[in-house]
Amino acid sequence: MFSKIRRSLLWQIGALFTVSTVVILSLWATFFIHQEHENRKRDVGRYLRASGLLQPLLFQMRSISNEQLEALALRQVEQFDPKSAKLLFRRGDDHRGVAVYKSGGENIVHIYNPIAEIYLEDVRQERREWGVHTVFTILLTAQLLLFLRLRSILYPLVRLRRKLQGLQEGDLSSLQIDPKYEEIEQVVSSYNSSIAKIEYILQMREMFNKIFMHEVKMPLAKGMFYLKQPPSKATHERIEGILKGINSEIEEFSTLESLIVYKEQLSIQKHELQPLIDEALQRAGYEKNTTRLVQKECGGVLLQGDRELWILCLKNLLDNGLKYAQDGVLHLRCEGNTLCFSNRGDPLPVELGSQQWKISKDRRHKSSTGYGFGLFIIKRITQLHGYGLRYRYDRKRRQVTLCLGKGEG
C-alpha cells in the first residue's frame, strides 16, 4: 500500500485528501465534544443556582410562580417516577440537595429537603454553534469537490498510462482524449505524434526488409549461377557487375534510411534539371543522350532541394518510365517547374494518395526499380521537398502520366 502511494501520483493525491479529511473531521469532533462539555457545565451551574434560589422557598412552604421558573428555564412536573429514569448526578445528601435525571430525552431536576420537594423539567434549548458547524460542512464539501475535480483533470494521465502499457503489447492506436488544458493537450499531441512516428518507422522497416531481401537475393542467385560456370573473363566481369549492383543498392537503401525514415535535415539548394537527369540516367544504366527519352520545353527548369535525393527520385521515375513503356519511349514535358512523365503502358498497381502505403505481406511486388518500391521512393522524396505528385491514366490511349511540382496534389 505505502509503496504504491509513493509511486503513484493519483494515490498520493488520494492519500493527502484522506489525511486532510481526517484532520477536518477530528477538529470538528473535538469542537463538538468541547461544546457538549461546556453545555453540561452551564446546565449544572444553572441547576445548582436554581436549587440555591428555591430551597428557601421550599423550607418556608411558599408557592413558586411560573415567572420564577421561566427565569430559570424550568417548568414544574406534576408527576415523575425517579425509578424509571437515569440519574445523571446528585449534589447534597438524602435529606437535602438536588438530583438530575434523564427521562425520554429530557432533563428532570429534583430539588428536595425534609419539608418539601419539587420536580422541574429543563425547557431551555441547548445552544448550538451552527455557524461553526456550517463552516466545517462547507470545508468537507469543498474538499470532496476539489478531489473529484483534480481526479477528473488527472484522468488523462491514467488513460496515457494504460495506453503506454498497451504499447508494450503492440497497441499502436492513438490516444483519443478531448483535452481542456494546454498541458494535457500537449501530452496527448506528443503521444499521438510519437505513435505515428513509431508506426511509420515500423512500416518503413517492414518495407525495407522485404525489398532489401528481394534486391539482394536476386543478384546473389545470379552470382551463384555464374560461379558454377567455367572460370572466364566474362564470368568474372558478370560477377563483378553483380557485386557493384549490390553495393549500389546498399548505398541507395542507406540514403533512404537516413534521409526519409529518420527525416534528417535536407540541404535545400536550387539545381538545374538537365544535369540531374543526366546523372540519374547514368545511375540507372542508360546513355546520357538516349533517344528513348523525349524531352520538351525543359531548358532552364530548376528543382529546389537535396541533390542526391532528387537524383534518386529522377532515377526511379526514368527507370520506371522506360522499363514499363510498351513502345520503349518515355516523354518528359516541362510546364514551368512542373515535370510530367508519360508513356504507354498499364495503370499503376498502387494508390498514390494513400497515407498508409506499405507493401503487403501477401502479394509479390516489383523490385526497388519497379512500380512497388520505386513509386514509394518517388512519393516520399517529393513530399520531403514540399512538392506534390499527380497521377492520371488515359484508358483509350493507354497512357500513364505522372506529374510532380509545386502545388500538385
Side-chain angles (χ1 to χ4, degrees):
M1 174 68 74
F2 291 105
S3 61
K4 192 167 186 178
I5 291 176
R6 286 198 304 269
R7 294 195 304 266
S8 174
L9 178 62
L10 290 178
W11 276 75
Q12 281 191 20
I13 292 174
L16 290 175
F17 272 97
T18 301
V19 171
S20 61
T21 301
V22 170
V23 170
I24 292 175
L25 289 174
S26 300
L27 291 175
W28 195 359
T30 302
F31 174 80
F32 181 78
I33 293 172
H34 177 73
Q35 185 184 34
E36 291 295 317
H37 178 69
E38 291 296 321
N39 287 336
R40 284 196 298 269
K41 284 177 62 176
R42 285 193 293 267
D43 288 340
V44 170
R46 185 161 52 85
Y47 299 153
L48 294 178
R49 286 195 302 275
S51 177
L53 292 173
L54 298 180
Q55 282 288 5
L57 298 177
L58 293 177
F59 275 111
Q60 297 173 14
M61 300 292 290
R62 295 173 59 182
S63 62
I64 301 173
S65 65
N66 291 330
E67 289 76 6
Q68 292 173 316
L69 294 177
E70 288 178 1
L72 297 171
L74 298 172
R75 181 175 59 194
Q76 186 171 357
V77 178
E78 298 297 335
Q79 294 181 351
F80 178 72
D81 183 9
K83 295 180 181 180
S84 63
K86 178 182 177 182
L87 179 64
L88 296 180
F89 73 91
R90 183 190 297 272
R91 293 291 185 272
D93 52 29
D94 293 338
H95 301 287
R96 177 180 177 181
V98 59
V100 179
Y101 297 90
K102 192 74 172 180
S103 176
E106 302 293 339
N107 289 345
I108 305 298
V109 182
H110 180 207
I111 302 175
Y112 59 92
N113 57 43
I115 298 176
E117 65 179 358
I118 188 173
Y119 289 97
L120 304 171
E121 179 184 356
D122 187 357
V123 295
R124 178 182 175 274
Q125 294 183 350
E126 292 187 1
R127 181 184 176 186
R128 300 287 184 183
E129 298 291 342
W130 295 113
V132 178
H133 293 297
T134 302
V135 170
F136 277 111
T137 303
I138 293 175
L139 279 176
L140 286 175
T141 304
Q143 182 94 343
L144 177 61
L145 294 177
L146 181 61
F147 173 74
L148 295 176
R149 183 59 178 169
L150 189 57
R151 185 180 179 86
S152 174
I153 292 174
L154 295 178
Y155 182 70
L157 296 181
V158 178
R159 293 278 304 276
L160 179 60
R161 183 190 66 182
R162 293 173 182 170
K163 292 294 292 184
L164 290 174
Q165 291 174 345
L167 180 61
Q168 296 176 354
E169 300 175 359
D171 181 12
L172 294 179
S173 60
S174 61
L175 183 58
Q176 301 296 332
I177 296 179
D178 184 17
K180 299 180 181 178
Y181 304 96
E182 293 182 358
E183 296 79 5
I184 301 297
E185 182 179 6
Q186 184 176 5
V187 170
V188 173
S189 176
S190 299
Y191 177 85
N192 290 337
S193 298
S194 300
I195 288 296
K197 176 71 174 180
I198 292 172
E199 190 174 15
Y200 176 78
I201 291 176
L202 290 176
Q203 289 179 1
M204 296 306 101
R205 177 178 174 271
E206 179 184 350
M207 179 174 289
F208 271 87
N209 289 343
K210 188 176 180 69
I211 296 300
F212 185 79
M213 288 176 63
H214 178 75
E215 287 296 315
V216 175
K217 202 170 183 180
M218 293 290 290
L220 288 178
K222 290 181 180 179
M224 294 295 294
F225 172 77
Y226 290 138
L227 286 175
K228 295 178 181 179
Q229 304 298 316
S232 66
K233 183 178 180 181
T235 303
H236 177 79
E237 290 177 352
R238 289 171 180 173
I239 293 177
E240 183 181 4
I242 290 173
L243 293 177
K244 288 181 179 179
I246 292 176
N247 183 66
S248 176
E249 292 292 339
I250 291 176
E251 289 181 355
E252 185 172 304
F253 274 95
S254 176
T255 301
L256 287 174
E257 182 180 18
S258 61
L259 293 175
I260 297 180
V261 176
Y262 295 101
K263 298 182 181 179
E264 291 185 0
Q265 188 67 32
L266 300 178
S267 176
I268 304 299
Q269 296 179 358
K270 290 184 178 181
H271 307 280
E272 291 186 9
L273 175 63
Q274 192 58 49
L276 297 180
I277 289 179
D278 293 341
E279 180 71 19
L281 285 171
Q282 183 179 356
R283 292 191 185 183
Y286 298 96
E287 296 293 334
K288 186 170 79 169
N289 297 318
T290 177
T291 57
R292 296 180 60 188
L293 175 63
V294 179
Q295 302 185 51
K296 183 179 180 181
E297 300 176 355
C298 290
V301 175
L302 301 176
L303 287 179
Q304 186 172 352
D306 187 275
R307 185 176 185 276
E308 287 299 319
L309 281 182
W310 275 127
I311 291 175
L312 184 59
C313 177
L314 291 172
K315 172 198 167 186
N316 283 277
L317 278 167
L318 295 170
D319 198 26
N320 284 349
L322 292 171
K323 183 175 293 185
Y324 296 101
Q326 294 178 348
D327 56 4
V329 179
L330 174 65
H331 296 270
L332 170 58
R333 186 181 75 259
C334 301
E335 301 174 358
N337 285 331
T338 298
L339 316 181
C340 291
F341 298 81
S342 60
N343 64 3
R344 294 177 61 84
D346 297 325
L348 299 182
V350 294
E351 176 57 50
L352 290 178
S354 174
Q355 297 298 321
Q356 302 296 329
W357 186 13
K358 64 178 182 178
I359 291 180
S360 172
K361 299 178 181 178
D362 303 322
R363 58 176 294 193
R364 185 176 183 274
H365 291 260
K366 302 290 185 180
S367 69
S368 65
T369 55
Y371 279 148
F373 196 57
L375 284 175
F376 171 80
I377 293 174
I378 295 166
K379 178 180 178 181
R380 293 302 177 188
I381 291 178
T382 54
Q383 285 180 337
L384 282 174
H385 289 89
Y387 283 68
L389 197 61
R390 176 168 52 87
Y391 161 71
R392 64 176 180 269
Y393 181 71
D394 188 337
R395 294 189 177 277
K396 293 183 178 180
R397 301 171 58 187
R398 295 183 59 82
Q399 186 178 51
V400 179
T401 303
L402 200 61
C403 297
L404 67 89
K406 292 289 186 179
E408 294 290 340

